[in-house]
Amino acid sequence: MKKKSGPTIKTPKFRRISPQERRSRLIDAGLACLAKGGIRAFTMDNICREAKISRGLVAHHFGSKDALLAEVYAAVYDRMLAHLVPPDAASTDIVALVENSFSPSLLNGESLNIWLALWSEIASNPALRTEHRKHYALYREGIARLISATARDRGRTVDSYELATIFISLVDGLWLEQCIDSSVLSATRAKDVCYSVLETALGPLRRPASRSVAVTA
Amino acid sequence: MKKKSGPTIKTPKFRRISPQERRSRLIDAGLACLAKGGIRAFTMDNICREAKISRGLVAHHFGSKDALLAEVYAAVYDRMLAHLVPPDAASTDIVALVENSFSPSLLNGESLNIWLALWSEIASNPALRTEHRKHYALYREGIARLISATARDRGRTVDSYELATIFISLVDGLWLEQCIDSSVLSATRAKDVCYSVLETALGPLRRPASRSVAVTA
DNA sequence: TATGTAATTATACAGTTGTTCAACAAGAGG
DNA sequence: CCTCTTGTTGAACAACTGTATAATTACATA
């Protein structure tokens, strides 16, 4: 099949899109590379192949590869927080937080690749570390508030700050171990552990009915 | 200054050492690179410069760079376990384990670099993952035994397996958060959190007298 | 001292890395 | 239609990557 016979028809070699749209797509492409192969796959060639653009564009829009990585970090953090604590504030109770923390969309090898790479970068990039500290503080504060409100409803007094720290570290550790080797612990069991720790301080929680699948083994 | 005039005197260009000694030194050199700059610094040039040998030697003794990394992993794991659970079995109670888990030698940016790099490798290297699974199982088993023994001494009954899993994940999470940003939590506070969780199930523990430093701030 | 072996060096190599930059061209505004 | 802005390309670039291999040479052995 040949091209249409019209002499004035020509297919553009590329499409121009707005800088913000292009930046967004490049961040997505970078994230995809990170997810597939960690920091070793976060190369200009891979990123540009993923985004289907030529190599010069990254420099044009971000200045350097490292600058792109910094933006990828910010995007990842924002998305994760949006996932853990949805904007619909009314629906965010502690139970939902636990459930979201161990949802399949976070509990997989791709997420592990992404976070290991970003943590490594934070460790050696002061600017990223400052930003991380800010995000983390907000995150912990939100959880402490959640815990505090729950305790108040139940007429209990807890050190919400300490419990939030324990909770975050516990979730991080459980998440990490399970991503590295999923055979260590099931997601259900990980949630149970979290609930167990929380309930020690807060009393019984309304755990969601576990959609128990019949396992015949 | 010229060389000594003695005609028979000559300074050797290199020293031959036993393969096992050389391998050991190369593992140390690789570990040092990993500690300094994570997986990005784990390059042949860096490793050989660190070990003060020429590039060909790594291939001669290990076959490839990845093979060296595998041995570095094994060495790191062995050393960490030896540090957490010293061979002197009599002295390893739970309190010692907690104290060792948050000792300064483990709680620093170098350790973080090392473990982030190794975890990334485990995630994409099936052989390493198998070995990791083995090491981890042994580690958890040992802790479960420790917990079980402690509970028996105190006439309590606990799910030692579950508590060990919680404990390991909690330590991992606390360790990780603190390495990434030491301002989140002090080592003393991290230990307190661990003791608190353990004591909920095991009753009061003989915490070591905290060498409290007078802080005037 | 002479000899053999294998530890070690040094170089070459092809492939990949991130960055730079001149040239191109898409698309908006005239 | 033309012009201008600038998003986009594509190649060139030096530096670096891991590996292979021939040439050295230290050192144990006889």
Side-chain angles (χ1 to χ4, degrees), chain B residues 13-93:
Chain B
K13 291 187 178 179
F14 57 88
R15 279 206 323 129
R16 297 177 69 153
I17 61 182
S18 72
Q20 65 183 41
E21 170 70 13
R22 179 65 72 193
R23 287 170 62 93
S24 172
R25 289 192 191 184
L26 280 173
I27 290 171
D28 285 342
L31 188 53
C33 292
L34 231 43
K36 284 177 187 168
I39 198 66
R40 297 170 69 155
F42 192 79
T43 67
M44 296 292 279
D45 280 1
N46 277 343
I47 296 164
C48 295
R49 195 179 311 127
E50 178 76 29
K52 289 170 184 154
I53 47 96
S54 72
R55 271 215 296 284
L57 258 197
V58 173
H60 184 260
H61 286 287
F62 293 92
S64 72
K65 197 190 76 163
D66 283 344
L68 171 60
L69 184 56
E71 303 241 7
V72 168
Y73 165 81
V76 167
Y77 221 123
D78 285 346
R79 292 179 194 181
M80 187 200 66
L81 287 183
H83 180 264
L84 291 183
V85 188
D88 179 6
S91 70
T92 46
D93 55 335

Side-chain angles (χ1 to χ4, degrees), chain B residues 160-212:
Chain B
S160 65
Y161 195 78
E162 179 189 47
L163 190 53
T165 304
I166 294 177
F167 176 75
I168 292 176
S169 294
L170 183 59
V171 169
D172 277 5
L174 288 167
W175 175 86
L176 183 65
E177 295 291 357
Q178 194 170 359
C179 282
I180 292 175
D181 181 2
S182 59
S183 73
V184 165
L185 205 66
S186 72
T188 305
R189 187 126 180 87
K191 292 177 195 170
D192 282 346
V193 169
C194 286
Y195 286 129
S196 168
V197 169
L198 287 174
E199 285 175 341
T200 299
L202 297 172
L205 296 173
R206 288 180 148 272
R207 304 192 188 187
S210 62
R211 305 184 227 94
S212 58

Side-chain angles (χ1 to χ4, degrees), chain A residues 173-174 176-178 180-181 183-185, chain B residues 73 77 80-81 119 129-143 161 164-170 172:
Chain A
L174 288 167
L176 183 64
E177 296 290 357
Q178 194 173 356
I180 292 174
D181 181 1
S183 72
V184 165
L185 204 66
Chain B
Y73 165 81
Y77 221 123
M80 187 200 66
L81 287 183
W119 281 331
R129 188 184 303 198
T130 302
E131 198 167 354
H132 166 78
R133 193 171 299 186
K134 206 165 51 189
H135 280 275
Y136 180 83
L138 246 68
Y139 177 45
R140 181 174 50 183
E141 208 172 303
I143 292 179
Y161 195 78
T165 304
I166 294 177
F167 176 75
I168 292 176
S169 294
L170 183 59
D172 277 5

Side-chain angles (χ1 to χ4, degrees), chain B residues 72-132:
Chain B
V72 168
Y73 165 81
V76 167
Y77 221 123
D78 285 346
R79 292 179 194 181
M80 187 200 66
L81 287 183
H83 180 264
L84 291 183
V85 188
D88 179 6
S91 70
T92 46
D93 55 335
I94 289 185
V95 170
L97 179 64
V98 172
E99 295 296 317
N100 291 339
S101 295
F102 294 95
S103 73
S105 63
L106 254 49
L107 216 57
N108 53 52
E110 298 189 348
S111 290
L112 178 64
N113 277 336
I114 292 170
W115 279 105
L116 288 180
L118 293 179
W119 281 331
S120 294
E121 202 57 26
I122 291 171
S124 61
N125 187 332
L128 270 192
R129 188 184 303 198
T130 302
E131 198 167 354
H132 166 78

